[in-house]
């Protein structure tokens, strides 16, 4: 096994390139190739201990480690933002172990590792999305036994999921699932899209980018090749709908992006801002102004750019 | 030492060469029908194309039984794979994780390899089919995941009826073997999810 960084080099630890040993990478790579051949099917793999806790994106990290090479540019987002804890620490991890070139720009990245969002900027052919998945099994809350859910997938026995959606409609008048909304992949497997908001589900359908999903604790890898049919489960008389908001982003004025609600005072004041931080910053740099940008800049929360 | 006993070198830089080879394979199988190529910086043993040898160097190890045709099993290719990858060679095609076959030979059929089972379709064989060329042959169209609309491939040197075997393999979906056509440094992925539209 080649040691990428020689132990004699005192400035850097002697990890193999991208932390994982080559034997582990081969095992993950074989699982990934089977995952793209059967879109939506969860391939078991030997998830390794990583230097951060399970549940913090170890599945996504192991996939990225098996993928990344010197030609790649890595972007890491957490709930859409490039500058939150999980994103910053994973980006640093690959800067340290793989000398990775990193970027916050969606269009520059070749690998985008994400927790719970798909970027607003359209993805391109050649890009790879890597999702961190806490619970890969969409049927787990309905059937706790792995032996049973495996048979349900084997025989495409998804009636239970339809019943769950129906019960939600019967009780509340609509499907109340707003994130991790189950999808049917290539007309065969019901798949968890990871806890992305259902707003992002339509972006998966026929996406030109390759999408890979890693669940480290649950030891599963699954994938969507580019241009694969991804249909959110629904009923003819209750078609799938995405979220909408009554007002645009308070900072950049975008009306087409996923918005986070932010409580701003103790008198019921609220503002809505883009969850995708790079998208919001790009729009502000282009001169788009939201209704609350002046206030936010005055209180030092954002920098106001003057194009 | 006889010349056939000398084992030619494998990767000189295993970390980055196997990473690059894996990315080519990943693109080949996620965008079926596109021509992908690997770098020509290894010397493959007699009987294996550069693409075949590179793919096996990148993916095969002691966990993956490999099946080789009889003409290769006792030759330098077997020695080379045992030395570089530490693979076990198996006689039964249904036990193989990876297999290399000659596209022009009439046996074994794709159906002889392991299609996986309904609860574990990932346990199927990946079959590398060595062909004489990846374009200029009798073409057929593909559709399915990874392909916007349809995509045409025209490999040369496939046995008659191979497209029917591919069609029967696709009909087993989500079971079935995954095929990689290899010639020289090029390869084309034909996973089980790909449908064969027409043969001419």
């Amino acid at each position: 096994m080649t040691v990428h960084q020689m132990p004699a080099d005192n400035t850097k630890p002697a990890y193999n390139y991208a932390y994982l040993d080559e034997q582990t990478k081969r095992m993950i790579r074989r699982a990934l190739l089977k995952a793209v051949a059967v879109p939506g099917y969860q391939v078991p793999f030997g998830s390794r201990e990583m230097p951060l806790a399970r549940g913090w994106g170890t599945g996504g990290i192991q996939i990225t480690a098996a993928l990344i090479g010197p030609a790649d540019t890595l972007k890491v987002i957490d709930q859409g933002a490039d500058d939150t804890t999980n994103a910053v620490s994973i980006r640093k991890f690959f800067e340290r172990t793989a000398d990775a070139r990193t970027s916050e720009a969606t269009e520059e990245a070749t690998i985008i590792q994400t927790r719970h969002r798909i970027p607003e900027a359209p993805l391109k052919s050649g890009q790879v999305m890597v999702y961190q998945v806490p619970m890969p099994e969409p049927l787990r809350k309905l059937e706790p036994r792995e032996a049973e859910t495996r048979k349900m997938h084997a025989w495409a026995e998804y009636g239970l999921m339809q019943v769950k959606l129906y019960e939600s409609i019967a009780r509340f008048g609509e499907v109340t699932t707003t994130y991790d909304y189950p999808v049917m992949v290539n007309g065969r497997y019901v798949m968890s899209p990871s806890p992305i908001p259902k707003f992002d589900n339509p972006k998966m359908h026929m996406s030109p980018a390759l999408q890979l999903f890693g669940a480290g604790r649950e030891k599963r890898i699954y994938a969507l090749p580019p241009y694969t049919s991804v249909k959110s489960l629904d009923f003819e008389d209750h078609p799938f709908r995405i979220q909408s908001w009554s007002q645009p982003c308070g900072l950049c004025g975008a009306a087409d992006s996923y918005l986070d609600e932010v409580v701003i005072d103790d008198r019921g004041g609220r503002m809505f801002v883009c969850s995708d931080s790079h998208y919001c910053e790009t729009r502000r740099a282009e001169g788009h102004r939201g209704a609350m940008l002046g206030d936010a800049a005055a209180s030092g929360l954002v920098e106001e750019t003057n194009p | 030492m006889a010349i056939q006993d000398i084992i030619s070198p494998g990767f000189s830089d295993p970390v980055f060469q196997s990473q690059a080879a894996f990315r080519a394979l990943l693109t080949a199988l996620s965008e079926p029908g596109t021509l992908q190529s690997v770098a020509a910086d290894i010397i493959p043993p007699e009987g294996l194309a550069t693409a075949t040898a590179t793919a096996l160097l990148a993916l095969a190890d002691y966990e993956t039984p490999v099946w080789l045709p009889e003409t290769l099993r006792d030759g330098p290719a077997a020695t080379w794979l045992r030395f570089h990858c530490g693979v076990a060679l198996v006689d039964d095609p249904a036990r193989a994780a990876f297999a290399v076959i000659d596209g022009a030979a009439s046996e074994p059929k794709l159906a002889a390899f392991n299609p996986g089972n309904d609860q574990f379709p990932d346990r199927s064989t990946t079959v590398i089919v060595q062909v004489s060329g990846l374009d200029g042959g009798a073409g057929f169209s593909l559709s399915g995941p990874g392909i916007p609309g349809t995509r045409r491939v025209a490999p040369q040197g496939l046995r008659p009826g191979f497209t029917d075997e591919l069609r029967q393999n696709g009909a087993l979906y989500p079971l079935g073997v995954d095929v990689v056509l290899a010639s020289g440094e090029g390869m084309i992925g034909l996973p089980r999810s790909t449908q064969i539209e027409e043969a001419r």
Side-chain angles (χ1 to χ4, degrees):
Chain A
M1 224 57 33
T2 299
V3 174
H4 168 61
Q5 290 151 335
M6 298 306 289
D9 181 1
N10 290 330
T11 57
K12 285 178 174 174
Y15 295 126
N16 189 36
Y17 178 80
Y19 191 76
L20 295 175
D21 59 282
E22 290 303 298
Q23 166 67 26
T24 300
K25 286 189 205 167
R26 265 196 302 276
M27 174 271 297
I28 294 173
R29 287 167 180 168
R30 289 193 296 258
L32 283 168
L33 293 180
K34 287 299 173 192
V36 294
V38 194
Y41 166 73
Q42 303 161 49
V43 182
F45 81 111
S47 177
R48 300 295 193 246
E49 290 283 343
M50 298 302 285
L52 75 170
R54 289 187 168 159
W56 284 76
T58 52
I61 291 172
Q62 289 178 78
I63 290 183
T64 303
L67 278 177
I68 198 165
D72 285 308
T73 304
L74 177 69
K75 172 183 165 84
V76 187
I77 53 174
D78 171 9
Q79 301 272 19
D82 290 277
D83 48 8
T84 44
T85 318
N86 197 221
V88 170
S89 58
I90 292 171
R91 194 159 51 227
K92 251 189 203 153
F93 176 77
F94 283 109
E95 283 170 354
R96 185 183 294 180
T97 60
D99 297 326
R101 192 164 51 246
T102 55
S103 172
E104 294 194 2
T106 305
E107 54 277 8
E108 281 175 16
T110 55
I111 300 175
I112 303 172
Q113 182 171 334
T114 176
R115 172 176 176 267
H116 303 190
R117 270 317 304 280
I118 299 176
E120 305 290 354
L123 300 173
K124 294 178 300 196
S125 175
Q127 287 182 316
V128 185
M129 287 286 294
V130 178
Y131 296 81
Q132 303 170 195
V133 186
M135 174 44 69
E137 179 52 74
L139 305 167
R140 183 62 72 232
K141 281 185 180 163
L142 307 170
E143 171 52 66
R145 288 166 297 180
E146 167 69 13
E148 294 301 315
T149 52
R150 189 160 282 284
K151 285 179 205 158
M152 290 159 80
H153 284 295
W155 304 329
E157 180 55 67
Y158 295 127
L160 208 54
M161 183 59 89
Q162 296 288 351
V163 170
K164 180 203 165 211
L165 297 178
Y166 166 75
E167 284 182 348
S168 184
I169 291 169
R171 201 176 295 172
F172 305 108
E174 61 178 338
V175 177
T176 49
T177 307
T178 52
Y179 66 94
D180 207 351
Y181 191 103
V183 293
M184 172 65 86
V185 175
N186 193 28
R188 178 58 180 81
Y189 282 102
V190 164
M191 185 190 94
S192 155
S194 86
I196 58 170
K198 66 178 181 176
F199 179 88
D200 285 339
N201 275 19
K203 295 180 191 167
M204 289 187 155
H205 179 64
M206 293 291 164
S207 167
L210 171 64
Q211 301 174 81
L212 307 174
F213 300 76
R217 186 190 56 206
E218 303 291 325
K219 304 181 177 63
R220 294 290 185 275
I221 283 174
Y222 52 104
L224 293 173
Y227 307 108
T228 299
S229 146
V230 179
K231 192 180 173 302
S232 303
L233 297 179
D234 62 358
F235 297 93
E236 268 174 32
D237 52 346
H238 281 87
F240 174 76
R241 279 186 305 130
I242 60 173
Q243 292 101 327
S244 57
W245 290 265
S246 53
Q247 44 181 291
C249 170
L251 298 179
C252 76
D256 59 350
S257 73
Y258 185 79
L259 302 180
D260 287 333
E261 186 177 6
V262 182
V263 177
I264 51 175
D265 57 33
D266 56 1
R267 294 183 299 277
R270 281 169 174 31
M271 72 186 289
F272 289 89
V273 292
C274 291
S275 118
D276 184 339
S277 60
H278 177 255
Y279 182 74
C280 198
E281 281 161 19
T282 309
R283 279 179 54 87
R284 292 203 301 269
E286 284 165 0
H288 295 279
R289 291 180 58 90
M292 299 174 86
L293 180 60
D295 295 343
S299 52
L301 292 172
V302 294
E303 280 178 31
E304 199 167 2
T305 47
N306 296 308
Chain B
M1 194 189 277
I3 192 80
Q4 65 268 23
D5 293 338
I6 298 172
I7 299 170
S8 62
F11 288 148
S12 55
D13 187 357
V15 172
F16 296 109
Q17 285 172 318
S18 49
Q19 187 268 342
F22 164 68
R23 289 295 283 273
L25 278 158
L26 183 65
T27 312
L29 284 168
S30 62
E31 296 175 38
T34 59
L35 177 61
Q36 301 297 323
S37 53
V38 297
D41 41 18
I42 62 160
I43 303 162
E46 190 190 329
L48 295 186
T50 305
T52 311
T54 307
L56 289 174
L57 274 183
L59 296 175
D61 56 33
Y62 63 84
E63 294 181 334
T64 56
V66 171
W67 188 92
L68 292 179
E70 257 165 53
T71 49
L72 298 179
R73 206 176 304 159
D74 302 320
T79 318
W80 192 88
L81 285 174
R82 281 202 188 98
F83 177 76
H84 285 298
C85 306
V87 297
L89 297 176
V90 289
D91 294 332
D92 179 5
R95 282 188 54 215
F98 292 99
V100 179
I101 65 172
D102 176 0
S106 58
E107 292 291 330
K109 304 291 186 216
L110 288 182
F113 295 100
N114 180 9
N117 63 55
D118 58 359
Q119 296 191 25
F120 291 96
D122 57 299
R123 295 183 182 172
S124 67
T125 310
T126 303
V127 184
I128 301 174
V129 182
Q130 303 202 105
V131 293
S132 53
L134 293 173
D135 55 9
F140 50 96
S141 291
L142 314 173
S143 67
I147 304 167
T150 60
R151 191 174 278 146
R152 213 170 156 69
V153 292
Q156 284 183 40
L158 281 173
R159 62 189 172 223
F162 191 78
T163 47
D164 290 331
E165 286 181 53
L166 284 175
R167 201 173 285 123
Q168 285 157 13
N169 182 53
L172 295 176
Y173 182 85
L175 307 190
V177 299
D178 302 311
V179 172
V180 177
L181 304 177
S183 172
E185 290 141 32
M187 54 194 177
I188 290 176
L190 297 172
R192 66 193 94 171
S193 58
T194 299
Q195 301 297 311
I196 312 298
E197 292 284 300
E198 46 152 335
R200 272 193 310 190

